[in-house]
Amino acid sequence: YIQLLRRSLYPATLAQGKIKTVATFRYLEQHGLEIMPWRYTGLMHMCLQWRHPKLLKCTKEGDLVVPCLSCPHPGINLPDGWENDVEHHDNYSVKVTEDTNFRLKEQLVSSHSRDPGLVEGLGYFVGRSDYEKYVISRASEADAIAKATTKFSKGLRYTGVGSMLCARSEIFLANRVGNLQEGEHYANMDYVFGSALHHYRGLPLCIVGYDIVCQWFAHIHERSKDLWPNKIKLDNGMDLVPVIGKFHEPAHETNNHEQYSCNLIPRVGCTDFEACKRIWGLHNPLGNSTKTMGPGTRSDSLEAHFGYHNWQKYTNM
């Protein structure tokens, strides 16, 4: 192995104690341009293994991501003593938007034990075990946002994903993507939201956009206190401001709904909080290929694409 790696050759799995297939580092860097059908399985194994060690530079939750430059990060892009700068607290706010995508579904292929994810909880997806345990604990609640989607869940392990993005720069954030078991439920979106704010503890303000924030946000503090795991409970020192995206707010046609309008809420500026729709439009084509993958391969593939999207944003700003 060491001799091959020194010569920029990555080996596939052993067959009867012998290495029969290798790929050059250059090929693995450019994976996706061409795959030889007669070596498909071996090459896919190598590509999945290749991505993982390149990411493993840190081991904390959410460390294996390309971070957002627009979001405030104490010790990185905030001035010293910002905590005491009460007059300019608005400058240290977080603007996020969340939504679901039902194109990125997954069929009942393989299992988590046979095909585990290599980046579980360290990248853009939330940690699977704690997340699914929490969702199951609230499975009996009648809090579905879109029950109509459940009739399409036959033969699927996941009906899609829910995510939270930076509303400023439209970048995927650490531990802000969660699989949807049966449609879009409060339990799923609560965990994704709490996991997101866990990385911003200590900041004074978060403006959160969601299509149905007028329903979902109504009792969020009670749910956080009574139902959420301790590690994702809301920070009492952070003010939360709910908004509805500019495209969706007029469709609600509800009286006294101006409190959720981006045009009237202070500190929103020109942000439209529709970033998720644009981002999902770019990633919808992935659904055709990832839905037939095993659970680990699918999550790692989506992690790679989300990271590439962030890197493109980073380098093209």
Side-chain angles (χ1 to χ4, degrees):
Y1 271 85
I2 296 177
Q3 292 176 338
L4 290 172
L5 294 175
R6 285 174 177 171
R7 287 162 177 77
S8 299
L9 296 173
Y10 195 89
T13 53
L14 290 172
Q16 297 179 350
K18 297 180 180 180
I19 298 173
K20 295 187 176 182
T21 304
V22 297
T24 63
F25 287 4
R26 184 177 179 183
Y27 172 83
L28 295 174
E29 289 283 2
Q30 300 175 346
H31 166 57
L33 298 180
E34 181 182 2
I35 293 183
M36 297 71 169
W38 59 92
R39 290 286 185 237
Y40 183 83
T41 302
L43 288 171
M44 287 302 295
H45 286 164
M46 285 187 283
C47 289
L48 289 172
Q49 294 170 14
W50 174 259
R51 293 174 187 159
H52 188 56
K54 288 178 70 67
L55 287 173
L56 279 182
K57 300 175 182 177
C58 308
T59 55
K60 292 190 300 181
E61 283 191 351
D63 272 357
L64 302 186
V65 301
V66 179
C68 176
L69 291 175
S70 302
C71 292
H73 300 283
I76 298 177
N77 59 359
L78 294 185
D80 295 336
W82 65 270
E83 305 95 327
N84 303 319
D85 188 7
V86 180
E87 184 179 351
H88 300 97
H89 262 188
D90 295 352
N91 297 337
Y92 316 125
S93 65
V94 182
K95 294 181 180 179
V96 294
T97 176
E98 62 179 344
D99 198 10
T100 55
N101 184 322
F102 294 106
R103 296 290 184 89
L104 299 180
K105 59 189 69 173
E106 184 195 357
Q107 297 175 352
L108 285 169
V109 178
S110 189
S111 64
H112 288 287
S113 59
R114 295 184 61 185
D115 183 25
L118 299 177
V119 196
E120 184 177 316
L122 300 177
Y124 301 97
F125 276 88
V126 297
R128 183 183 65 85
S129 56
D130 290 342
Y131 168 64
E132 294 190 352
K133 186 185 300 182
Y134 169 74
V135 172
I136 291 173
S137 71
R138 291 181 56 184
S140 61
E141 295 184 13
D143 66 353
I145 301 173
K147 288 186 177 180
T149 58
T150 59
K151 65 182 180 181
F152 301 110
S153 63
K154 185 177 181 180
L156 299 177
R157 177 178 287 110
Y158 301 123
T159 58
V161 298
S163 178
M164 177 169 287
L165 291 82
C166 174
R168 291 187 178 102
S169 53
E170 302 183 3
I171 276 181
F172 286 98
L173 303 173
N175 297 138
R176 271 67 157 199
V177 183
N179 290 306
L180 305 177
Q181 288 72 24
E182 284 191 351
E184 187 176 356
H185 291 250
Y186 284 170
N188 300 94
M189 306 312 290
D190 282 355
Y191 196 98
V192 170
F193 181 64
S195 180
L197 294 193
H198 172 71
H199 293 273
Y200 294 118
R201 289 189 182 276
L203 295 178
L205 174 67
C206 175
I207 304 176
V208 54
Y210 190 16
D211 298 352
I212 46 92
V213 77
C214 49
Q215 303 172 29
W216 170 76
F217 192 81
H219 302 288
I220 193 170
H221 290 283
E222 290 86 343
R223 295 199 303 274
S224 171
K225 179 181 178 181
D226 300 333
L227 301 173
W228 294 13
N230 289 329
K231 73 173 185 178
I232 66 167
K233 286 185 182 295
L234 294 177
D235 182 359
N236 293 328
M238 177 184 285
D239 293 331
L240 301 178
V241 178
V243 302
I244 299 176
K246 287 188 177 182
F247 178 77
H248 288 84
E249 197 276 330
H252 282 235
E253 298 182 351
T254 304
N255 294 330
N256 302 319
H257 223 241
E258 296 81 4
Q259 59 181 313
Y260 302 110
S261 173
C262 293
N263 298 323
L264 301 176
I265 295 177
R267 300 167 291 198
V268 168
C270 295
T271 309
D272 64 2
F273 288 89
E274 297 288 357
C276 284
K277 299 300 182 185
R278 291 187 285 270
I279 299 304
W280 290 144
L282 296 173
H283 291 83
N284 282 342
L286 296 175
N288 289 331
S289 57
T290 58
K291 69 181 180 182
T292 58
M293 296 179 178
T297 305
R298 168 182 170 270
S299 63
D300 289 347
S301 297
L302 291 177
E303 290 268 4
H305 281 280
F306 296 160
Y308 180 65
H309 168 83
N310 282 12
W311 179 249
Q312 283 188 312
K313 280 282 187 178
Y314 230 118
T315 55
N316 294 326
M317 277 185 177

